[in-house]
Amino acid sequence: MIRVELVKLFRRPRTWISLVLTCALPFIVAIFITITHLAPPPGQGSAFLSAVLQDGELYPAAALALVLPVFLPVAVAVVAGDSIAGEAAGGTLRYLLVRPVGRTRLLVAKLIAVTAYVLSVVLAVTFTAYATGVFLLGPSRAAAVGQAPGGTGGLPGGGPGIAGQAPTAGQAAGGAVTSLSGAPLSLLQLTERIGGAIAFITVSMLGVAAIALFLSTITDSALGSALGALAALVASEILVALNAATVVQPYLPTRYWLAWIDFFRQPVFWRDIQRGFGIQAVYVVVFLAAAWANFSTKDITR
Amino acid sequence: MTGAGESGAGVIRTRALTKRYGSVTAVRSVDLEVRAGDRYGLLGPNGSGKTTLVRMLLGLVYATSGEIEVLGRRMPRHAREVLPQVGALIEEPAAYPHLSGRTNLALLDAAGPGGLSARRTRKRRVDEALEQVGLGGVGRRPVKAYSLGMRQRLGLAGALIRRPKLLVLDEPGNGLDPHGIRDLRELLIGLNEAGVTVFLSSHLMAEVEQLCTRVGVLDAGRLVLQDDLAALRAPTGRVMVDTPDADRAVALLDGQVERRDGDQLLVRPVVGDGAAGDAAGLNARLVEAGLRVSAIGPHQRTLEEIVLSVTGTGSDHVGESS
């Protein structure tokens, strides 16, 4: 069944189109930076972008930071939201179930397919960005990760945050980047840290996928469940940026989304990374349980 | 018959099966009985609960109360053992439109239990199923390029791919042209003769009349009739007479004509009176009297008449609603 789901996923044109588009954005950004040599000043724009002119090998991290806020969640929500609702709307769900495929088994297979999709997108972005970085921006010159151009020292308090996540990155950035700026990372270390970042981002996206999958068992509209999941993320982003909502912030799904940046500090700043893994695990478990409870008792009338 | 179970060869059996959606009762206290080797036709207007009943048999919809047994095992509890032996077509066929019919069948075949072990025989069974439904030459075209009738045939191929003991087909004639309907009928009769029990639902009485050996009639969620077609259609003891001299015939058969419809008379012949009470005797009598007879024979009710006589007039309103 898992193999069947993977075949269905990867024989679908949409899968490849979204993959290519997600990889294309960092590529386009890299072209502009190469031509103009105008990286955003430190502390502004997307994370790591200010550093990539010095160090092309760091471009995978910059690319992940570029696609994380919008591209990745949209792609994941669409694929996960489609998983059950799309089959229901197309009528194929009932034929799978009378084949018979157990409902729990189907849900698990869908989850694994979505995970495979998330991993492929993240890995594809990483590898294309590495190639782009090395060939377009050139390999490491300063060999100092996070070194700000012009030797102005560490990133100021604003940090490499994107609007909405500024608190996450900001807090940590203020203290950590300075020490990081002087410490060179070997290629092995860089690889390890990118691996950690990939794992973290994948788990974060699984949180999104779990929400979309749950909604997908409720409605027969693939679009509805994808948009529902995105609406939840937007709401979370708004609350994360809202000082008045400090009480709930540690429990919001997007609160620690950018914590993977901490993998690139020397030493790795673990606190937010651990919290991020924890909160995403809770979201995944809760929403998958809800999806299972709903789907396994549901009358299939489509 | 093939492993239909020890208990009286019941292939499908329900007891007091009921399904309520909120305040609406879609199926109420149905005792369905389909025996091994039957070609069972479930009739009823749209909205009478046929689809809900079929979906309950297959474990897609959960019953509110009552029991279901398919191939001798309780459903939906034993779905994993029962359903691999059942081929199903539920309302419209469905397939992944960007994949070919062949790929769709292969994926469906791989999805169920034993999907891995069935791999060796898969290509052969896919070819065979496509051949059976007349899609053998369809090749690698994606399903989105298929006509409605081709999709219906593909759906049927999907139902056949695991060589089921029982076929459950919901409105299998939908979207088929007259050729397709005839092909379908021949296919189902052939499979039935090879030992497959066929259970189908339809609102087309002519289709069921030509195909089925046993019928059930659902009306507003109730099973109002269930019997062998031969028993239902047994001669009524009346004789149908078609004569251009209808007026004279009515005068001659004074009091024996039950109904007149143009040149057609429905006659209940009186035994004795110098003639036997059958078509041949009546014919002799009419001809002796110098009347021309264009057609004569024992009267049988059509399935339509039977169904209309047991379904309430109210069901028509439901029937036209879709």
Side-chain angles (χ1 to χ4, degrees), chain B residues 232-265:
Chain B
L232 289 171
R233 295 213 51 208
T236 56
R238 285 131 174 99
V239 177
M240 283 298 292
V241 182
D242 205 337
T243 166
D245 306 320
D247 290 332
R248 289 175 58 205
V250 171
L252 178 75
L253 302 169
D254 180 38
Q256 294 178 34
V257 177
E258 282 194 345
R259 201 175 69 212
R260 179 176 172 185
D261 187 9
D263 283 352
Q264 280 208 326
L265 304 177

Short mmCIF file of all heavy atoms in Angstrom, two decimals, chain B residues 232-265:
data_model
loop_
_atom_site.label_atom_id
_atom_site.label_comp_id
_atom_site.label_asym_id
_atom_site.label_seq_id
_atom_site.Cartn_x
_atom_site.Cartn_y
_atom_site.Cartn_z
N LEU B 232 -42.37 -14.83 -9.91
CA LEU B 232 -43.13 -13.59 -10.04
C LEU B 232 -43.81 -13.49 -11.40
O LEU B 232 -44.90 -12.96 -11.52
CB LEU B 232 -42.19 -12.38 -9.87
CG LEU B 232 -41.67 -12.15 -8.47
CD1 LEU B 232 -40.58 -11.08 -8.50
CD2 LEU B 232 -42.80 -11.73 -7.54
N ARG B 233 -43.11 -14.02 -12.40
CA ARG B 233 -43.62 -13.86 -13.75
C ARG B 233 -44.37 -15.09 -14.22
O ARG B 233 -44.57 -15.31 -15.42
CB ARG B 233 -42.46 -13.54 -14.70
CG ARG B 233 -41.82 -12.19 -14.39
CD ARG B 233 -41.32 -11.54 -15.63
NE ARG B 233 -42.38 -11.49 -16.64
CZ ARG B 233 -42.16 -11.48 -17.93
NH1 ARG B 233 -40.95 -11.52 -18.39
NH2 ARG B 233 -43.17 -11.43 -18.79
N ALA B 234 -44.81 -15.93 -13.30
CA ALA B 234 -45.57 -17.12 -13.67
C ALA B 234 -46.84 -16.66 -14.39
O ALA B 234 -47.38 -15.60 -14.10
CB ALA B 234 -45.93 -17.91 -12.42
N PRO B 235 -47.32 -17.48 -15.34
CA PRO B 235 -48.53 -17.09 -16.08
C PRO B 235 -49.67 -16.78 -15.11
O PRO B 235 -49.82 -17.43 -14.07
CB PRO B 235 -48.84 -18.33 -16.91
CG PRO B 235 -47.53 -19.02 -17.07
CD PRO B 235 -46.76 -18.75 -15.83
N THR B 236 -50.46 -15.81 -15.48
CA THR B 236 -51.50 -15.36 -14.57
C THR B 236 -52.81 -16.11 -14.79
O THR B 236 -53.79 -15.86 -14.10
CB THR B 236 -51.78 -13.86 -14.78
OG1 THR B 236 -52.11 -13.66 -16.17
CG2 THR B 236 -50.57 -13.03 -14.43
N GLY B 237 -52.84 -17.02 -15.80
CA GLY B 237 -54.08 -17.73 -16.10
C GLY B 237 -54.96 -16.96 -17.07
O GLY B 237 -55.98 -17.46 -17.53
N ARG B 238 -54.54 -15.77 -17.41
CA ARG B 238 -55.28 -15.00 -18.40
C ARG B 238 -54.61 -15.13 -19.76
O ARG B 238 -53.46 -15.59 -19.85
CB ARG B 238 -55.34 -13.52 -18.00
CG ARG B 238 -56.32 -13.26 -16.86
CD ARG B 238 -55.63 -12.44 -15.81
NE ARG B 238 -56.52 -12.04 -14.74
CZ ARG B 238 -56.59 -12.66 -13.57
NH1 ARG B 238 -55.88 -13.76 -13.35
NH2 ARG B 238 -57.38 -12.21 -12.62
N VAL B 239 -55.33 -14.74 -20.78
CA VAL B 239 -54.80 -14.84 -22.14
C VAL B 239 -54.81 -13.46 -22.78
O VAL B 239 -55.79 -12.73 -22.65
CB VAL B 239 -55.64 -15.83 -22.97
CG1 VAL B 239 -55.14 -15.87 -24.42
CG2 VAL B 239 -55.62 -17.23 -22.36
N MET B 240 -53.70 -13.14 -23.41
CA MET B 240 -53.63 -11.88 -24.16
C MET B 240 -54.05 -12.16 -25.60
O MET B 240 -53.50 -13.06 -26.25
CB MET B 240 -52.21 -11.34 -24.17
CG MET B 240 -51.75 -10.67 -22.89
SD MET B 240 -52.70 -9.25 -22.44
CE MET B 240 -52.25 -8.10 -23.73
N VAL B 241 -55.00 -11.42 -26.09
CA VAL B 241 -55.46 -11.60 -27.46
C VAL B 241 -55.27 -10.29 -28.20
O VAL B 241 -55.62 -9.23 -27.69
CB VAL B 241 -56.94 -12.01 -27.50
CG1 VAL B 241 -57.38 -12.25 -28.95
CG2 VAL B 241 -57.20 -13.23 -26.64
N ASP B 242 -54.71 -10.40 -29.41
CA ASP B 242 -54.56 -9.22 -30.26
C ASP B 242 -55.39 -9.50 -31.52
O ASP B 242 -55.08 -10.42 -32.26
CB ASP B 242 -53.08 -9.02 -30.60
CG ASP B 242 -52.78 -7.57 -30.94
OD1 ASP B 242 -53.74 -6.86 -31.32
OD2 ASP B 242 -51.61 -7.16 -30.79
N THR B 243 -56.46 -8.75 -31.72
CA THR B 243 -57.35 -9.03 -32.86
C THR B 243 -57.90 -7.74 -33.44
O THR B 243 -58.28 -6.82 -32.72
CB THR B 243 -58.52 -9.94 -32.43
OG1 THR B 243 -59.51 -9.92 -33.45
CG2 THR B 243 -59.16 -9.47 -31.12
N PRO B 244 -57.91 -7.69 -34.79
CA PRO B 244 -58.52 -6.51 -35.43
C PRO B 244 -60.04 -6.48 -35.24
O PRO B 244 -60.67 -5.43 -35.40
CB PRO B 244 -58.14 -6.67 -36.90
CG PRO B 244 -57.74 -8.09 -37.08
CD PRO B 244 -57.30 -8.61 -35.77
N ASP B 245 -60.62 -7.63 -34.87
CA ASP B 245 -62.08 -7.66 -34.65
C ASP B 245 -62.38 -7.59 -33.17
O ASP B 245 -63.15 -8.39 -32.62
CB ASP B 245 -62.66 -8.95 -35.24
CG ASP B 245 -62.27 -9.12 -36.71
OD1 ASP B 245 -62.29 -8.09 -37.42
OD2 ASP B 245 -61.92 -10.24 -37.12
N ALA B 246 -61.80 -6.63 -32.50
CA ALA B 246 -61.90 -6.58 -31.05
C ALA B 246 -63.34 -6.43 -30.57
O ALA B 246 -63.76 -7.08 -29.59
CB ALA B 246 -61.04 -5.43 -30.53
N ASP B 247 -64.13 -5.59 -31.26
CA ASP B 247 -65.51 -5.38 -30.83
C ASP B 247 -66.30 -6.68 -30.83
O ASP B 247 -67.00 -7.01 -29.87
CB ASP B 247 -66.19 -4.35 -31.73
CG ASP B 247 -65.63 -2.96 -31.50
OD1 ASP B 247 -65.17 -2.70 -30.36
OD2 ASP B 247 -65.62 -2.15 -32.45
N ARG B 248 -66.16 -7.43 -31.92
CA ARG B 248 -66.90 -8.69 -32.02
C ARG B 248 -66.40 -9.69 -30.97
O ARG B 248 -67.19 -10.46 -30.41
CB ARG B 248 -66.74 -9.28 -33.42
CG ARG B 248 -67.53 -8.45 -34.48
CD ARG B 248 -67.26 -8.98 -35.87
NE ARG B 248 -67.62 -10.39 -36.00
CZ ARG B 248 -67.07 -11.21 -36.91
NH1 ARG B 248 -66.13 -10.75 -37.73
NH2 ARG B 248 -67.45 -12.46 -36.99
N ALA B 249 -65.08 -9.66 -30.72
CA ALA B 249 -64.52 -10.58 -29.73
C ALA B 249 -65.08 -10.28 -28.34
O ALA B 249 -65.45 -11.20 -27.59
CB ALA B 249 -63.00 -10.47 -29.70
N VAL B 250 -65.19 -8.98 -28.00
CA VAL B 250 -65.74 -8.61 -26.70
C VAL B 250 -67.17 -9.13 -26.59
O VAL B 250 -67.58 -9.69 -25.55
CB VAL B 250 -65.70 -7.08 -26.50
CG1 VAL B 250 -66.48 -6.67 -25.26
CG2 VAL B 250 -64.27 -6.59 -26.42
N ALA B 251 -67.94 -9.00 -27.70
CA ALA B 251 -69.32 -9.47 -27.68
C ALA B 251 -69.38 -11.00 -27.51
O ALA B 251 -70.16 -11.53 -26.71
CB ALA B 251 -70.02 -9.05 -28.97
N LEU B 252 -68.47 -11.69 -28.25
CA LEU B 252 -68.47 -13.15 -28.21
C LEU B 252 -68.09 -13.67 -26.83
O LEU B 252 -68.70 -14.60 -26.31
CB LEU B 252 -67.49 -13.68 -29.27
CG LEU B 252 -67.33 -15.20 -29.34
CD1 LEU B 252 -68.53 -15.83 -30.01
CD2 LEU B 252 -66.05 -15.57 -30.07
N LEU B 253 -67.03 -13.05 -26.24
CA LEU B 253 -66.52 -13.53 -24.94
C LEU B 253 -67.19 -12.76 -23.81
O LEU B 253 -66.54 -12.29 -22.89
CB LEU B 253 -65.00 -13.35 -24.88
CG LEU B 253 -64.19 -14.04 -25.98
CD1 LEU B 253 -62.75 -13.56 -25.96
CD2 LEU B 253 -64.26 -15.55 -25.80
N ASP B 254 -68.44 -12.63 -23.90
CA ASP B 254 -69.21 -11.81 -22.97
C ASP B 254 -68.80 -12.04 -21.51
O ASP B 254 -68.87 -13.15 -21.01
CB ASP B 254 -70.69 -12.12 -23.17
CG ASP B 254 -71.54 -11.28 -22.23
OD1 ASP B 254 -71.18 -10.10 -22.04
OD2 ASP B 254 -72.52 -11.82 -21.69
N GLY B 255 -68.31 -11.00 -20.88
CA GLY B 255 -67.99 -11.08 -19.45
C GLY B 255 -66.63 -11.67 -19.14
O GLY B 255 -66.18 -11.62 -18.00
N GLN B 256 -65.95 -12.23 -20.15
CA GLN B 256 -64.65 -12.83 -19.86
C GLN B 256 -63.50 -11.85 -20.11
O GLN B 256 -62.37 -12.12 -19.72
CB GLN B 256 -64.44 -14.08 -20.75
CG GLN B 256 -65.41 -15.20 -20.41
CD GLN B 256 -65.22 -16.39 -21.32
OE1 GLN B 256 -64.12 -16.70 -21.72
NE2 GLN B 256 -66.31 -17.06 -21.64
N VAL B 257 -63.78 -10.72 -20.76
CA VAL B 257 -62.73 -9.75 -21.05
C VAL B 257 -62.52 -8.85 -19.84
O VAL B 257 -63.43 -8.17 -19.38
CB VAL B 257 -63.11 -8.90 -22.28
CG1 VAL B 257 -62.04 -7.84 -22.54
CG2 VAL B 257 -63.30 -9.79 -23.50
N GLU B 258 -61.31 -8.91 -19.31
CA GLU B 258 -61.02 -8.12 -18.11
C GLU B 258 -60.60 -6.70 -18.45
O GLU B 258 -60.84 -5.77 -17.71
CB GLU B 258 -59.89 -8.76 -17.30
CG GLU B 258 -60.36 -9.94 -16.49
CD GLU B 258 -59.32 -10.36 -15.45
OE1 GLU B 258 -58.15 -9.92 -15.55
OE2 GLU B 258 -59.68 -11.12 -14.54
N ARG B 259 -59.94 -6.56 -19.58
CA ARG B 259 -59.40 -5.24 -19.89
C ARG B 259 -59.28 -5.14 -21.40
O ARG B 259 -58.98 -6.12 -22.10
CB ARG B 259 -58.02 -5.09 -19.26
CG ARG B 259 -57.59 -3.64 -19.09
CD ARG B 259 -56.28 -3.56 -18.35
NE ARG B 259 -55.17 -4.07 -19.16
CZ ARG B 259 -54.10 -4.70 -18.65
NH1 ARG B 259 -54.02 -4.92 -17.36
NH2 ARG B 259 -53.13 -5.11 -19.44
N ARG B 260 -59.55 -3.97 -21.95
CA ARG B 260 -59.38 -3.78 -23.37
C ARG B 260 -58.51 -2.55 -23.59
O ARG B 260 -58.70 -1.52 -22.95
CB ARG B 260 -60.73 -3.59 -24.05
CG ARG B 260 -60.55 -3.35 -25.54
CD ARG B 260 -61.82 -3.24 -26.30
NE ARG B 260 -61.50 -2.83 -27.66
CZ ARG B 260 -62.40 -2.53 -28.57
NH1 ARG B 260 -63.70 -2.60 -28.27
NH2 ARG B 260 -62.04 -2.17 -29.79
N ASP B 261 -57.57 -2.73 -24.50
CA ASP B 261 -56.65 -1.61 -24.78
C ASP B 261 -56.46 -1.58 -26.30
O ASP B 261 -55.60 -2.27 -26.83
CB ASP B 261 -55.33 -1.85 -24.04
CG ASP B 261 -54.40 -0.64 -24.15
OD1 ASP B 261 -54.86 0.39 -24.65
OD2 ASP B 261 -53.23 -0.76 -23.73
N GLY B 262 -57.31 -0.85 -27.00
CA GLY B 262 -57.29 -0.84 -28.46
C GLY B 262 -57.67 -2.21 -28.98
O GLY B 262 -58.74 -2.73 -28.67
N ASP B 263 -56.75 -2.83 -29.73
CA ASP B 263 -57.00 -4.15 -30.28
C ASP B 263 -56.60 -5.26 -29.33
O ASP B 263 -56.69 -6.44 -29.64
CB ASP B 263 -56.23 -4.32 -31.60
CG ASP B 263 -56.92 -3.57 -32.74
OD1 ASP B 263 -58.05 -3.09 -32.51
OD2 ASP B 263 -56.34 -3.48 -33.83
N GLN B 264 -56.07 -4.86 -28.16
CA GLN B 264 -55.57 -5.88 -27.22
C GLN B 264 -56.60 -6.17 -26.14
O GLN B 264 -57.14 -5.25 -25.52
CB GLN B 264 -54.29 -5.36 -26.56
CG GLN B 264 -53.06 -5.54 -27.44
CD GLN B 264 -51.81 -5.68 -26.61
OE1 GLN B 264 -51.71 -5.08 -25.55
NE2 GLN B 264 -50.86 -6.46 -27.09
N LEU B 265 -56.84 -7.44 -25.95
CA LEU B 265 -57.80 -7.84 -24.92
C LEU B 265 -57.10 -8.72 -23.90
O LEU B 265 -56.26 -9.56 -24.25
CB LEU B 265 -58.94 -8.65 -25.55
CG LEU B 265 -59.71 -7.99 -26.69
CD1 LEU B 265 -60.74 -8.95 -27.24
CD2 LEU B 265 -60.37 -6.70 -26.22
#
